[in-house]
Amino acid sequence: MVMSYSSGGDYSDMSWDFVVPVSLDDLLKSGAINQYVVQDVLSPKQLPSHLSSFKAALRSQGPVCILEHFDTVYSVLQHCRTVDLALKEDTLELLIQVVRGLSVSLPSLLMSGTLSAADRKQQLNAVKMSVFLLCKLTENLESDSCRESIVTAPSKGRKKEKASGKGLQQWDSERETVLQCLTQLLQLDIRSLWNLSLVEEEFVSCVTFCCYKLLENPTIGHMKNKPTRDAIIHMLGVMVKKYNHMLGACVKVIQLLQHFEQLSSVCAQAVSAWSSEYGVKAIVGEIMREIGQRSSDELAREGSGVKAFSSFLSELSTLVPEAMIPNISVLLTHLEGESASMRVAVCEVLGEVLVRVLSGDKLDDSGRADRDRFLDTLQEHIHDAHSHVRARVLQVYSRIVNSKALPLCRYTEVMELAVGRLGDKSVLVCKSAIQLLAAFIAHNPYSCKLSSVDLKKPLEKETAKLKEMRENMREKAPVAVISAADLWAAMEPEVSHTVRSHLEAGSDAEREEDDEDEEEGVQDRSDRDTAIQIAQYLRHNKYRQAVCLCARAHSLYPESPFFSALSDINQDTLLNTLASLFKGPEENQTSEPVESDQPPTPQKEGGKAADEGKENELTKQEMLVQYLKDTESFALQVERAIAVINNMLYWKTTTVVQEAVQFCVTAREFSVADSVCGVRKMLPLVWSTDAAVKDAVVQAYRRLYLNPQGDSTRAKAQTLVESLSELMVDASLGTIQCLEEIVQEFFSNENALQASVVQVLWERFSGKRETSALQKRAAVLLLGMAARAEREVVLSNLDTLCSVALGEKVTEDYLLARDTVITITNITDHVRQSKGVPFRLPVDHHLFSCLTQAIADGVVLSDPHWQTFMEQALRLIYFLAESPDKLCGRLLQRSARLLLEQVTEGGEPNQSQMSEGSQDSEQQVSCVSLAQLLSLCGAVAFWQVSHLERSVSTELRRRRGEKEEKEEKEKRPVGKNKEANDSCVEEELGLTGASAEDTEAEFIRKICETELLADGNMLSVFLPLLVKVCSSPGRYSHTQLTTAACLALSQYMMISPTVCKDNIRLLFTVLEKSSLPVVRANTIIALGDLTVRFPNILEPWTPNLYARLCDENASVRLTAITVLTQLVLKDVMKVKGQVSEVAVLLLDPEPHITSLALNFFNELSAKDNAIYNLLPDIISRLSDPERGMKEEDFNTIMKQLFSYITKERQTESLVEKLCQRFRTAKTERQWADLAVSLSLLSMCERGFKKLQECWDCYSDKLAEDAVYQPLLSIMAKLRRRAKPQFKAQVEEFEKKLTVVHTKGLENVENEEREQQLDEQKHSEKTQTPLHKGARRPTRGRGKSRMDESDLVTPKRSRARPKKVITFSSDEGEDEEDAVMTENETPKVTTPISRTRRTRLRH
């Protein structure tokens, strides 16, 4: 009988059961006996009234009214897609009230224990019905919500979006309420309502399916849904713990991870909560086993969820690492699999376990074994095949090191691996390796402040001490340790025989005789001394005396414990007493040495303590030596890392550079040895065009130097000054210039520290605080940097600067004077780039008197730092003085007078005095003084020209501008035609301005050419002397004098074209003939400056400049390549065939020169077709037999140069040019070089066709292997990437090459002619026109008849007006190939204002 329940029936007599259906429609079908079936499904129109009845019944009857009104809610579910949202919300509210009512009423019923079977069934049906309906309605509302969010996502209208999202927002707020009330009910002990407390699987599945449905929401992982997420996890935890849902939860978690990748974090949180909060720890192992059993093939399939699995495991390891340890072995199999994501996840799990669980010193043996095994596994994957895995493993190690979970014994090994990864191809791996090394430095247990060099001596000292201690221990130890028991066993037979003889003595007289012999010595002994004497007798094999003394001892010492056993003297007692006295009280001791003369018992008490003390000392020494070894190894790895990372500062990858900068900061903060090198090396990056890199460097310096720590402002200022001063000690000029940018920014921004810092700097400089000379120099340079931001910092203290650094003691420290001058220069307009009226000081200012006196006094001294001081001082005079020319004129007079006075006092130097080999110190001083005077003359000449062309010209333009502006205001008309007149005035002024500029430039040029070296000018007096010294190297052979004279002459030549023309031949003669490398190097720099100023004069001498690239001295070659690179790349000098000499430097033995040559071609390749135009001539020059270049060197150079040829048209043209050169090549080596050059081209299809067209040029050379093999390699390259049709052409041409190589060209051509004749005869017989067929076999191979036209360039290239370059390419410019286009020919004008000067060093 099927029982149904209608809305009007009485449910007090409960005879039916509600079975939770699999689907809604199952409740409409007849099931088992007494199973509830829905009788009537209401229509949508009937639902509101029935819901009102349900609501009334709920108020009157309570939650059990659900038994009566189940069909009403069921009808709502059936019509869920059609009914209004408001109706569903009302139904939801009613069901929530039912469930809450049950949660309130059931505890008292369950606790009473008097629940009848009918009441129990009634309550059970109410629970199942209400939970079923609430879960199903929740699923429907969730589906509607997801559908609505998908539909409304792309909508753009605000009103529509707001209206459509209203219901969605309401459901979001209701979702959490539903979960809370269900959890409240299910947490009760409602299992007792079921028979035997067995809850059916359908009920559990109904609840959990609803939870998992909610988890599938795409936004469930968002922060705003955290309460809902936590409620779902809480409910599922209840189901897992109380309703046996663990296996079902494991399966469902795996499914969710497979299909919903975004749920990896949510699932990890859920599993963690179930394991820790609900105590279901087994669920972690079950899920890990499920994932571990997945095969590599299965994980490789798309949609396998491998990313979700890996994310899940990584997240879970951070939450419950201790729960994962028992089952971690099932995951280790994935380390051998194909999935990189799974390998990453397993490595991260191992890392978390090592950090959170297997760390510290309290691990047992099993824990230590697991830790070592896991670390070994991680270490192996530092070299994983996948870069992502390598990077993540390094990151895991960083976390381990930061957590101090890495055993000390593994530091050096792991650090060595990390240093090796700095050379990884992957940028991510390099970054991770840098981070790991920074972590090692930040958390190392050693002293990083000491370098490996500093640690070497202490290590050697302690190692020698340890060796000595071991040798001492070895000497004191017995050669063979024989225990007393073993020794007694060996002597026992003989002692036993002696005892027996003593006891069996023939007469008492004999025994008394023996006793009397012993009695004389026994009377004064104690029992202990007697025992020692007996033991000594036994050790010295005096058995008879030992036996006699022992036998008599009991009568002498009856109460002694040593002889108590002798109360009854017989053989056994006597032997036992002797044995105990010899072996000691512990007869079983086997390690007692027998060297000592003392008895065993007293010997052991002192000996043991001494031995233990020595062993302890030895152990401590071994530990100290091992610590020093580990520290040295660590320091060596740090030094290796710093060397590599310092080079990475200039990588092109921004992120790597940022990591390298952070590493340098970390190393500096922890005072690592040599860390200042990296900090200085990254300083030039403040000029980087990459904003991120520049910002990283600026922030690094702020962190290291500009944010000091201290209790007060004064202390902070002192710390800041000390750190910056340390950075500037021994810093190069470039480093100081870079540091200016950062320090200037510090002083530009308002800062509370600025005043204190400036005060501390002045105190250091003035000597108020005891400081070294280096610190003084650093302080004054820092003041100069501050002056760039605020001029008054220095301007208001000029007197202090003059008195301290430029006063009477200036000759004692020219370096301090030089740095002071540099600081003062920072207040000039030239440095600050100020506009308006120029800021200058009067000539009679105290500063200039100090400067001129310091310069003049230094001329007659031999201070090596005077030169640099003089250059900076003249620069300051010309930048700051009102009339610097008058000041410098008087300076030259004064200096010359001082020199003449010195010569007069010491005698005029003759020829031998000018020689550097002179022994007289006064004569040497005269040469040095003359050299310094000539240097001063040259510097004045240079700065005078610079002053005219920069300062004077700028001032003339400024004054003209002010005058024109004033005239414009006065002439400006007032009226209707104002606009028209303004435009006319502007045009007129424009023309006037241009004309005025030309007039001013001509005025400056005229002064340079006519007045600077006119009679009466001090500069003109020294020119003949300069020419005399430079033209007489035999007489004036002093190095400094010759160097200064050549440099000064070149500076004089900058004045005018006339002086330059008159002395240019002399300067080039010095360049080629001078035996001093420093003179040649300086002359190259000077000629570079002259080339910029007078390019037309220097242009014929270009080959002489290129010739210095072959100089025998490396420093000269280095200078030459540096100067020529600047001239060529800035279009000052034409790029000619001599550039082949730069190509030769690609093989220079000096790495720096090689890198500069490589940089030259890298920059040149950026110019359109530059290298392409030069290549044929470079090949001709390098393959010239007279040069004699090795074949390997030629190939290396060409390989680099041809790497710049990337365009197909360039390749095609070069193929043609190189093939044409086969005709003019004279030697087999030249043929080989041309063939190799062809093989180095990135050959394309067009290039191949051109190679076929030029067959006649090289076909007669194919018999040579050196020509045939490179061409064969071209065919191999083309065949690899060719399409089928093109591949067939390549193979056909390759066969042709092979045939000609093996048979010879003449034989092949003869065979072709015979074949053509045969075909012609055959065609005549058959009368079939086979002209095309007759030509086809020879197509692309050569013509059957040779004429003169076959040996010339094809028409297309003949149309170009070029001449073919022969290998004797030095015949002149007119015979060169016209490969340089017109737009690449440098068009250099010589404006007066263009006066670059490279800083010259002596």
Side-chain angles (χ1 to χ4, degrees):
M1 177 181 179
V2 177
M3 187 71 182
S4 65
Y5 181 72
S6 64
S7 59
D10 182 12
Y11 52 84
S12 60
D13 185 13
M14 186 67 59
S15 59
W16 50 267
D17 295 319
F18 179 80
V19 178
V20 179
V22 177
S23 66
L24 279 175
D25 294 337
D26 290 348
L27 288 174
L28 298 174
K29 304 172 184 177
S30 298
I33 299 174
N34 294 332
Q35 180 177 332
Y36 183 86
V37 176
V38 175
Q39 296 295 318
D40 185 18
V41 179
L42 302 175
S43 65
K45 292 181 180 180
Q46 297 173 311
L47 288 175
S49 60
H50 282 75
L51 280 177
S52 299
S53 302
F54 179 24
K55 189 174 183 179
L58 180 60
R59 282 197 299 268
S60 61
Q61 301 171 8
V64 292
C65 70
I66 191 65
L67 301 173
E68 178 182 355
H69 295 277
F70 178 85
D71 291 2
T72 302
V73 183
Y74 180 84
S75 300
V76 173
L77 292 175
Q78 284 287 358
H79 300 294
C80 202
R81 290 184 174 239
T82 57
V83 298
D84 294 337
L85 179 62
L87 185 70
K88 290 189 280 188
E89 289 179 349
D90 292 342
T91 306
L92 179 68
E93 184 62 32
L94 291 172
L95 288 174
I96 289 174
Q97 292 179 22
V98 170
V99 174
R100 282 178 174 168
L102 289 171
S103 301
V104 174
S105 61
L106 276 175
S108 59
L109 294 174
L110 295 173
M111 291 291 292
S112 64
T114 59
L115 202 62
S116 64
D119 291 339
R120 182 187 58 78
K121 183 181 288 188
Q122 180 188 24
Q123 295 297 329
L124 177 59
N125 287 334
V127 168
K128 290 198 288 188
M129 283 181 167
S130 59
V131 171
F132 168 74
L133 292 172
L134 184 56
C135 289
K136 291 301 177 185
L137 184 58
T138 301
E139 292 172 21
N140 279 302
L141 288 171
E142 181 68 16
S143 299
D144 292 344
S145 174
C146 292
R147 251 194 323 271
E148 190 177 355
S149 63
I150 293 172
V151 171
T152 59
S155 64
K156 296 181 180 179
R158 291 187 177 180
K159 293 181 180 179
K160 183 178 179 182
E161 187 178 27
K162 186 175 181 181
S164 61
K166 187 175 181 181
L168 178 64
Q169 291 174 359
Q170 289 179 351
W171 169 239
D172 286 343
S173 61
E174 291 291 337
R175 190 188 289 123
E176 187 179 353
T177 305
V178 171
L179 292 167
Q180 287 175 352
C181 71
L182 279 172
T183 305
Q184 187 178 1
L185 175 63
L186 295 171
Q187 278 182 327
L188 301 175
D189 191 17
I190 60 174
R191 289 179 297 174
S192 59
L193 297 176
W194 277 267
N195 290 328
L196 303 176
S197 298
L198 296 175
V199 183
E200 65 261 36
E201 184 63 31
E202 291 79 8
F203 178 80
V204 176
S205 297
C206 175
V207 177
T208 56
F209 183 82
C210 175
C211 295
Y212 295 129
K213 179 73 174 178
L214 294 176
L215 280 177
E216 293 174 7
N217 191 318
T219 64
I220 196 67
H222 295 179
M223 181 58 68
K224 65 178 182 179
N225 290 326
K226 186 178 185 303
T228 303
R229 188 169 63 246
D230 292 342
I232 296 171
I233 293 173
H234 189 42
M235 180 185 287
L236 287 172
V238 172
M239 301 306 293
V240 169
K241 184 176 182 179
K242 289 192 172 186
Y243 296 90
N244 198 25
H245 180 59
M246 190 186 78
L247 294 179
C250 294
V251 174
K252 195 61 184 177
V253 166
I254 296 296
Q255 292 176 354
L256 289 173
L257 291 174
Q258 281 183 310
H259 298 97
F260 303 96
E261 187 177 329
Q262 75 275 10
L263 290 181
S264 57
S265 178
V266 177
C267 289
Q269 294 172 20
V271 174
S272 170
W274 302 337
S275 171
S276 56
E277 296 178 20
Y278 294 92
V280 190
K281 297 187 180 298
I283 195 168
V284 177
E286 287 294 330
I287 295 176
M288 289 176 66
R289 276 191 291 275
E290 285 289 333
I291 297 175
Q293 289 170 2
R294 303 280 166 141
S295 64
S296 297
D297 296 336
E298 187 177 356
L299 291 173
R301 289 200 300 267
E302 187 176 357
S304 63
V306 62
K307 288 186 179 179
F309 286 147
S310 60
S311 300
F312 168 79
L313 289 172
S314 300
E315 180 83 11
L316 188 63
S317 66
T318 62
L319 298 172
V320 284
E322 63 282 346
M324 300 184 74
I325 293 179
N327 299 282
I328 205 168
S329 58
V330 301
L331 298 177
L332 297 179
T333 56
H334 287 300
L335 290 173
E336 307 300 327
E338 295 293 330
S339 173
S341 298
M342 288 302 295
R343 296 203 299 275
V344 166
V346 176
C347 289
E348 289 183 341
V349 170
L350 294 177
E352 285 296 328
V353 169
L354 287 167
V355 169
R356 304 270 296 278
V357 183
L358 300 179
S359 60
D361 299 329
K362 298 181 180 179
L363 293 176
D364 56 11
D365 293 341
S366 175
R368 280 194 291 272
D370 288 341
R371 180 194 65 189
D372 293 341
R373 184 161 54 93
F374 294 164
L375 286 170
D376 289 339
T377 303
L378 283 176
Q379 205 163 302
E380 291 172 2
H381 287 274
I382 288 180
H383 294 103
D384 194 279
H386 200 284
S387 61
H388 184 56
V389 181
R390 298 196 298 273
R392 293 302 288 270
V393 171
L394 290 170
Q395 292 168 14
V396 168
Y397 262 114
S398 296
R399 174 158 163 68
I400 293 173
V401 173
N402 286 327
S403 303
K404 300 182 179 179
L406 186 67
L408 191 61
C409 58
R410 290 181 177 264
Y411 263 60
T412 304
E413 188 176 3
V414 176
M415 194 169 186
E416 185 177 1
L417 294 173
V419 174
R421 288 300 89 206
L422 291 175
D424 200 283
K425 293 181 179 179
S426 170
V427 170
L428 186 60
V429 177
C430 292
K431 286 174 55 182
S432 303
I434 295 173
Q435 291 169 356
L436 175 56
L437 291 168
F440 270 118
I441 289 176
H443 299 281
N444 80 90
Y446 308 108
S447 174
C448 280
K449 296 182 180 180
L450 298 177
S451 65
S452 59
V453 177
D454 297 329
L455 289 166
K456 192 172 183 181
K457 288 184 179 178
L459 177 60
E460 290 176 352
K461 178 182 176 182
E462 298 300 331
T463 305
K465 184 177 179 182
L466 175 63
K467 185 178 180 181
E468 183 181 353
M469 291 175 68
R470 283 176 174 168
E471 289 177 353
N472 292 338
M473 291 287 287
R474 196 177 297 114
E475 289 173 0
K476 292 182 179 180
V479 178
V481 179
I482 303 175
S483 66
D486 293 338
L487 198 56
W488 173 256
M491 67 171 67
E492 186 176 9
E494 192 171 350
V495 174
S496 177
H497 176 71
T498 305
V499 169
R500 194 165 46 250
S501 300
H502 175 76
L503 294 176
E504 296 175 356
S507 64
D508 293 337
E510 293 180 6
R511 194 180 299 178
E512 287 176 3
E513 243 178 65
D514 295 334
D515 293 343
E516 286 175 2
D517 294 337
E518 295 297 331
E519 191 174 354
E520 294 177 1
V522 174
Q523 297 296 332
D524 299 329
R525 294 187 192 140
S526 65
D527 60 339
R528 181 179 180 80
D529 293 337
T530 303
I532 291 172
Q533 184 64 46
I534 293 170
Q536 288 177 349
Y537 283 153
L538 291 172
R539 286 192 175 94
H540 293 92
N541 298 327
K542 296 180 178 180
Y543 304 135
R544 189 175 65 81
Q545 290 92 325
V547 171
C548 293
L549 184 57
C550 184
R552 182 163 175 72
H554 180 264
S555 60
L556 296 174
Y557 315 106
E559 297 179 358
S560 173
F562 292 106
F563 310 107
S564 59
L566 295 176
S567 57
D568 182 16
I569 296 181
N570 55 48
Q571 183 175 351
D572 293 335
T573 57
L574 197 55
L575 274 176
N576 291 336
T577 301
L578 290 170
S580 64
L581 291 176
F582 182 78
K583 293 189 294 183
E586 299 177 3
E587 294 184 3
N588 56 355
Q589 183 177 349
T590 58
S591 58
E592 182 69 20
V594 294
E595 293 180 351
S596 176
D597 293 334
Q598 301 296 323
T601 302
Q603 180 187 15
K604 279 195 270 185
E605 294 174 359
K608 255 189 175 180
D611 290 344
E612 286 179 2
K614 291 179 181 178
E615 288 178 2
N616 290 337
E617 289 295 326
L618 182 62
T619 304
K620 289 179 181 179
Q621 187 66 21
E622 288 174 346
M623 292 174 63
L624 176 60
V625 170
Q626 186 61 44
Y627 175 80
L628 289 174
K629 285 182 178 178
D630 293 342
T631 307
E632 185 191 32
S633 300
F634 186 83
L636 285 170
Q637 296 300 335
V638 170
E639 289 169 7
R640 280 185 58 202
I642 288 175
V644 177
I645 294 174
N646 286 352
N647 293 330
M648 296 170 76
L649 286 168
Y650 290 90
W651 278 22
K652 294 181 179 180
T653 309
T654 301
T655 53
V656 173
V657 175
Q658 289 174 317
E659 288 296 336
V661 168
Q662 289 303 315
F663 174 85
C664 292
V665 171
T666 302
R668 186 67 195 132
E669 285 180 334
F670 286 91
S671 304
V672 177
D674 298 330
S675 57
V676 178
C677 298
V679 174
R680 285 180 178 173
K681 192 167 185 177
M682 73 181 179
L683 191 52
L685 293 175
V686 296
W687 309 107
S688 174
T689 55
D690 192 329
V693 173
K694 180 178 179 179
D695 185 62
V697 175
V698 172
Q699 293 299 329
Y701 271 84
R702 282 179 183 168
R703 178 176 162 185
L704 287 174
Y705 298 106
L706 303 181
N707 290 322
Q709 302 297 322
D711 298 332
S712 62
T713 304
R714 174 80 178 179
K716 290 181 180 179
Q718 289 178 346
T719 304
L720 188 149
V721 170
E722 286 175 1
S723 58
L724 286 177
S725 300
E726 181 185 358
L727 186 65
M728 296 185 68
V729 171
D730 298 332
S732 64
L733 185 61
T735 301
I736 293 173
Q737 289 176 347
C738 296
L739 191 60
E740 281 181 351
E741 286 296 308
I742 296 173
V743 177
Q744 182 183 353
E745 182 183 357
F746 170 77
F747 283 103
S748 298
N749 302 325
E750 291 187 5
N751 193 309
L753 275 178
Q754 287 180 8
S756 298
V757 169
V758 171
Q759 183 180 356
V760 171
L761 289 173
W762 281 116
E763 289 175 359
R764 286 191 167 215
F765 173 73
S766 61
K768 290 182 179 179
R769 299 174 60 88
E770 188 175 351
T771 52
S772 64
L774 289 175
Q775 290 176 331
K776 275 189 177 182
R777 288 172 50 201
V780 75
L781 286 173
L782 289 171
L783 286 169
M785 297 175 191
R788 292 172 68 95
E790 181 55 51
R791 177 183 281 173
E792 289 301 319
V793 171
V794 169
L795 186 59
S796 59
N797 293 279
L798 277 179
D799 292 339
T800 304
L801 291 169
C802 293
S803 61
V804 173
L806 303 174
E808 298 177 355
K809 297 182 179 180
V810 64
T811 55
E812 297 177 5
D813 192 351
Y814 274 112
L815 284 178
L816 178 62
R818 180 200 65 187
D819 293 342
T820 303
V821 170
I822 293 173
T823 293
I824 300 174
T825 306
N826 285 329
I827 70 173
T828 62
D829 293 335
H830 292 270
V831 175
R832 298 170 60 85
Q833 297 180 350
S834 302
K835 296 182 180 179
V837 180
F839 172 75
R840 288 184 178 270
L841 297 177
V843 179
D844 57 353
H845 194 278
H846 179 58
L847 170 65
F848 301 125
S849 61
C850 291
L851 288 176
T852 53
Q853 182 175 355
I855 294 172
D857 292 345
V859 168
V860 295
L861 301 176
S862 57
D863 194 300
H865 304 298
W866 175 88
Q867 177 78 24
T868 56
F869 162 73
M870 178 270 295
E871 291 175 358
Q872 293 295 333
L874 286 180
R875 177 170 174 257
L876 176 60
I877 289 172
Y878 275 97
F879 281 2
L880 197 57
E882 285 287 355
S883 301
D885 49 346
K886 296 179 180 179
L887 201 61
C888 290
R890 292 197 295 267
L891 173 62
L892 286 175
Q893 287 181 343
R894 182 176 181 179
S895 301
R897 185 168 59 252
L898 289 174
L899 179 61
L900 289 174
E901 292 175 358
Q902 184 191 47
V903 172
T904 303
E905 293 173 0
E908 185 176 358
N910 53 28
Q911 182 174 354
S912 63
Q913 293 172 354
M914 294 296 180
S915 162
E916 194 164 357
S918 174
Q919 300 297 322
D920 193 337
S921 61
E922 292 184 1
Q923 297 164 358
Q924 289 293 330
V925 168
S926 298
C927 290
V928 172
S929 300
L930 179 59
Q932 293 182 158
L933 177 61
L934 296 181
S935 297
L936 177 61
C937 296
V940 170
F942 172 81
W943 283 111
Q944 184 63 43
V945 174
S946 174
H947 174 68
L948 288 171
E949 297 186 351
R950 294 177 63 183
S951 301
V952 175
S953 180
T954 302
E955 179 62 13
L956 288 175
R957 284 197 301 271
R958 188 190 66 80
R959 293 179 181 180
R960 174 171 51 81
E962 288 182 354
K963 181 179 179 182
E964 290 174 354
E965 186 178 353
K966 183 177 180 181
E967 291 176 354
E968 183 183 359
K969 290 180 181 179
E970 292 176 354
K971 293 181 180 180
R972 182 174 299 170
V974 180
K976 296 182 180 179
N977 299 329
K978 182 177 180 181
E979 294 181 2
N981 289 336
D982 282 344
S983 63
C984 294
V985 169
E986 288 174 4
E987 293 177 3
E988 188 176 345
L989 284 174
L991 292 173
T992 304
S995 175
E997 286 183 4
D998 293 340
T999 303
E1000 292 163 3
E1002 185 62 31
F1003 171 70
I1004 300 296
R1005 189 179 303 113
K1006 186 177 180 181
I1007 293 176
C1008 291
E1009 292 182 358
T1010 60
E1011 296 186 16
L1012 288 187
L1013 294 177
D1015 293 340
N1017 193 312
M1018 278 300 297
L1019 289 176
S1020 62
V1021 176
F1022 293 95
L1023 182 58
L1025 178 60
L1026 290 173
V1027 174
K1028 183 178 181 181
V1029 173
C1030 292
S1031 58
S1032 306
R1035 181 177 182 183
Y1036 303 100
S1037 59
H1038 191 276
T1039 303
Q1040 186 175 345
L1041 178 60
T1042 307
T1043 304
C1046 292
L1047 181 57
L1049 179 62
S1050 67
Q1051 290 170 328
Y1052 266 76
M1053 292 167 66
M1054 299 280 286
I1055 294 176
S1056 69
T1058 304
V1059 181
C1060 184
K1061 289 178 182 177
D1062 293 344
N1063 298 285
I1064 189 67
R1065 184 176 298 276
L1066 172 60
L1067 203 59
F1068 272 102
T1069 302
V1070 171
L1071 176 64
E1072 295 179 4
K1073 300 293 181 64
S1074 176
S1075 59
L1076 301 173
V1078 65
V1079 173
R1080 298 200 300 274
N1082 276 351
T1083 306
I1084 291 173
I1085 298 174
L1087 288 169
D1089 289 339
L1090 289 170
T1091 303
V1092 175
R1093 186 160 175 79
F1094 306 120
N1096 295 332
I1097 298 176
L1098 270 293
E1099 197 272 338
W1101 299 91
T1102 301
N1104 301 74
L1105 277 177
Y1106 276 104
R1108 290 303 97 203
L1109 294 171
C1110 303
D1111 197 281
E1112 60 184 9
N1113 187 271
S1115 64
V1116 179
R1117 295 198 304 274
L1118 180 64
T1119 307
I1121 182 62
T1122 304
V1123 171
L1124 288 172
T1125 298
Q1126 294 295 320
L1127 295 176
V1128 170
L1129 296 181
K1130 292 185 177 180
D1131 295 331
V1132 178
M1133 181 182 288
K1134 291 182 180 179
V1135 184
K1136 296 187 176 181
Q1138 292 95 340
V1139 81
S1140 60
E1141 302 300 333
V1142 182
V1144 175
L1145 293 184
L1146 290 169
L1147 302 175
D1148 198 274
E1150 292 292 329
H1152 192 188
I1153 297 177
T1154 303
S1155 65
L1156 287 176
L1158 184 61
N1159 179 66
F1160 173 84
F1161 286 108
N1162 289 338
E1163 296 294 332
L1164 192 63
S1165 65
K1167 296 179 176 290
D1168 294 336
N1169 302 329
I1171 293 182
Y1172 157 73
N1173 290 333
L1174 292 167
L1175 262 175
D1177 198 38
I1178 292 176
I1179 295 172
S1180 297
R1181 290 173 180 267
L1182 295 184
S1183 60
D1184 192 340
E1186 294 182 2
R1187 177 179 285 274
M1189 176 173 281
K1190 294 181 180 179
E1191 188 174 351
E1192 297 80 4
D1193 295 344
F1194 178 85
N1195 295 347
T1196 303
I1197 294 173
M1198 288 300 109
K1199 186 176 181 181
Q1200 178 62 42
L1201 296 182
F1202 275 108
S1203 67
Y1204 301 112
I1205 305 301
T1206 55
K1207 299 177 182 177
E1208 288 190 7
R1209 294 185 62 182
Q1210 291 180 344
T1211 301
E1212 180 186 8
S1213 178
L1214 279 174
V1215 169
E1216 181 182 5
K1217 289 180 180 181
L1218 294 175
C1219 288
Q1220 295 298 330
R1221 288 176 183 260
F1222 272 104
R1223 292 177 169 173
T1224 56
K1226 301 173 184 177
T1227 64
E1228 295 178 0
R1229 168 64 192 280
Q1230 290 176 322
W1231 301 344
D1233 289 345
L1234 289 170
V1236 168
S1237 300
L1238 283 170
S1239 68
L1240 292 172
L1241 281 167
S1242 180
M1243 194 69 70
C1244 54
E1245 189 171 348
R1246 292 169 59 179
F1248 172 71
K1249 290 180 180 178
K1250 188 63 66 177
L1251 192 66
Q1252 287 180 311
E1253 293 174 7
C1254 298
W1255 167 262
D1256 294 336
C1257 299
Y1258 57 84
S1259 56
D1260 57 333
K1261 281 86 174 175
L1262 285 173
E1264 298 291 334
D1265 278 339
V1267 178
Y1268 169 69
Q1269 291 297 337
L1271 294 178
L1272 206 61
S1273 68
I1274 295 175
M1275 299 303 110
K1277 294 177 186 176
L1278 289 170
R1279 194 169 57 247
R1280 277 198 296 268
R1281 58 178 186 271
K1283 296 179 180 178
Q1285 184 178 359
F1286 180 57
K1287 187 175 182 179
Q1289 298 177 16
V1290 173
E1291 291 175 348
E1292 180 182 356
F1293 189 72
E1294 185 177 358
K1295 291 178 182 177
K1296 184 177 180 180
L1297 290 173
T1298 305
V1299 170
V1300 173
H1301 173 66
T1302 53
K1303 295 184 178 181
L1305 180 63
E1306 294 181 358
N1307 296 333
V1308 173
E1309 289 178 344
N1310 291 335
E1311 290 178 1
E1312 289 179 353
R1313 290 194 189 98
E1314 291 175 2
Q1315 186 177 357
Q1316 288 177 359
L1317 292 173
D1318 293 340
E1319 289 178 356
Q1320 288 177 1
K1321 290 177 182 179
H1322 181 68
S1323 64
E1324 290 174 359
K1325 290 180 181 179
T1326 57
Q1327 296 181 354
T1328 303
L1330 293 174
H1331 299 291
K1332 295 181 179 179
R1335 286 195 300 271
R1336 192 171 297 127
T1338 63
R1339 185 176 182 181
R1341 298 184 180 181
K1343 299 179 182 178
S1344 59
R1345 296 179 181 180
M1346 305 291 291
D1347 55 22
E1348 294 181 358
S1349 63
D1350 292 326
L1351 301 175
V1352 296
T1353 308
K1355 290 182 180 179
R1356 202 162 23 166
S1357 58
R1358 240 190 303 140
R1360 298 171 63 188
K1362 302 182 192 174
K1363 293 184 179 180
V1364 177
I1365 292 184
T1366 62
F1367 284 90
S1368 56
S1369 57
D1370 292 328
E1371 294 175 2
E1373 290 183 27
D1374 296 335
E1375 294 183 6
E1376 288 188 4
D1377 193 357
V1379 292
M1380 180 179 286
T1381 58
E1382 185 176 353
N1383 61 351
E1384 291 177 0
T1385 305
K1387 294 180 175 61
V1388 182
T1389 58
T1390 57
I1392 295 300
S1393 61
R1394 190 175 183 182
T1395 56
R1396 282 193 315 100
R1397 176 174 180 259
T1398 306
R1399 182 175 180 82
L1400 304 181
R1401 296 282 185 181
H1402 292 270

